[in-house]
Amino acid sequence: MKLAIGSANFGMNYGIVERKKLSQNEINSILDFAIGHGIDTIDTAPNYGTSEIAIGKSSSNKKFKIYTKTP
C-alpha cells in the first residue's frame, strides 16, 4: 500500500478533532518522520493556504514527490 502526506493543515486551520495550522517545527518533524518510514509523497494545493511555502522551508522537501492540484 502506498501512503501520502496530506498537507492542508500545514498552511491553514484544518482537522477533524483540533482544527489548527501546524507550526513549521511540527511540519519538519512530520516530514522527517515520513521519510524515515518510507513515505515519500506529499499532496498539496494552492487552496491549502501557505502549505506549499511550509513544505519549501523543510530541509526534507527534496526527498519527496510533491503533487499539487491547480484550478
Side-chain angles (χ1 to χ4, degrees), residues 9-69:
N9 64 338
F10 288 10
M12 58 191 263
N13 292 333
Y14 184 85
I16 295 171
V17 176
E18 186 178 346
R19 300 181 63 86
K20 73 171 196 165
K21 178 180 172 181
L22 299 175
S23 72
Q24 188 65 48
N25 285 338
E26 291 171 310
I27 293 165
N28 294 344
S29 293
I30 289 167
L31 297 181
D32 289 343
F33 179 89
I35 283 295
H37 289 83
I39 300 168
D40 66 353
T41 305
I42 301 174
D43 168 67
T44 191
N47 291 346
Y48 294 174
T50 58
S51 67
E52 294 170 322
I53 293 168
I55 293 165
K57 288 181 179 179
S58 170
S59 61
S60 297
N61 70 7
K62 292 175 180 52
K63 299 175 184 173
F64 284 93
K65 292 177 230 142
I66 300 172
Y67 293 88
T68 188
K69 297 170 284 304

